[in-house]
Amino acid sequence: MLFASFKPMGRLLRLADTAAAMVAEQTGEPVSIVVTATDTEARVQGLADCRSLRFVGRLTPAALRGHQRRAGALLYPTTAESFGYPLAEARLAGLPVIARDTGHNAEIAGPVLVPYRDESADDLAAAMHATLTLTPQPEPANPFDPVDYFTWLLDAEEPAL
């Protein structure tokens, strides 16, 4: 997620930090949340003292993919994104994604969604804990293929190539 003034990232990430501490206490294993924001953005949002958040700044696509490959889950704590590309990317990679329990998130993330209902540390911690035993498989086919999508949407025959 890119930080922006209209997104309540400080409040949401503080909840995530508290939830990560709760999961670490329950499991005895440290939980680290990599955040693609700068240290300056962290300070502006009042997050500099969060122990589980690791601010890595803006990343190149290759560096971001590296972080995603090493991640146990993707945390998608905002409803301010229009489409949800991170949800789609997680679905295609078979990476669990922790996100609000909304129809939009369920449609995009599909079987990799680990939903949380309320924006609370308890709900986030429960979702984080659930990802520890979840091993979703990558999609057998791209559910976002534009030809398949528009064929379905328009109830049309597959176009002849």
Side-chain angles (χ1 to χ4, degrees):
M1 293 300 116
L2 297 177
F3 274 40
S5 59
F6 61 90
K7 297 177 189 177
M9 298 304 292
R11 181 180 58 79
L12 291 169
L13 286 173
R14 187 165 291 286
L15 288 173
D17 182 61
T18 301
M22 292 166 68
V23 172
E25 186 175 315
Q26 293 167 356
T27 64
E29 295 293 325
V31 176
S32 178
I33 300 172
V34 174
V35 182
T36 55
T38 64
D39 288 330
T40 300
E41 289 169 318
R43 282 190 301 280
V44 168
Q45 292 286 326
L47 299 169
D49 64 335
C50 291
R51 300 177 139 235
S52 301
L53 305 182
R54 191 163 55 99
F55 295 92
V56 295
R58 302 289 185 256
L59 301 175
T60 64
L64 182 59
R65 279 190 300 278
H67 280 284
Q68 288 171 332
R69 279 192 294 275
R70 292 185 299 275
L74 175 85
L75 175 61
Y76 188 79
T78 181
T79 56
E81 303 297 324
S82 59
F83 173 71
Y85 286 107
L87 298 172
E89 292 167 357
R91 180 176 182 172
L92 291 174
L95 179 66
V97 61
I98 300 165
R100 286 290 301 267
D101 190 8
T102 67
H104 175 267
N105 289 346
E107 180 179 356
I108 302 301
V112 300
L113 179 65
V114 180
Y116 63 92
R117 184 177 166 135
D118 297 317
E119 287 182 348
S120 70
D122 288 334
D123 275 11
L124 277 170
M128 287 178 184
H129 200 272
T131 65
L132 298 175
T133 58
L134 184 65
T135 53
Q137 299 301 309
E139 293 279 338
N142 182 352
F144 307 108
D145 180 270
V147 172
D148 290 344
Y149 174 77
F150 284 107
T151 300
W152 166 82
L153 179 68
L154 301 173
D155 197 22
E157 297 289 321
E158 176 116 11
L161 297 178

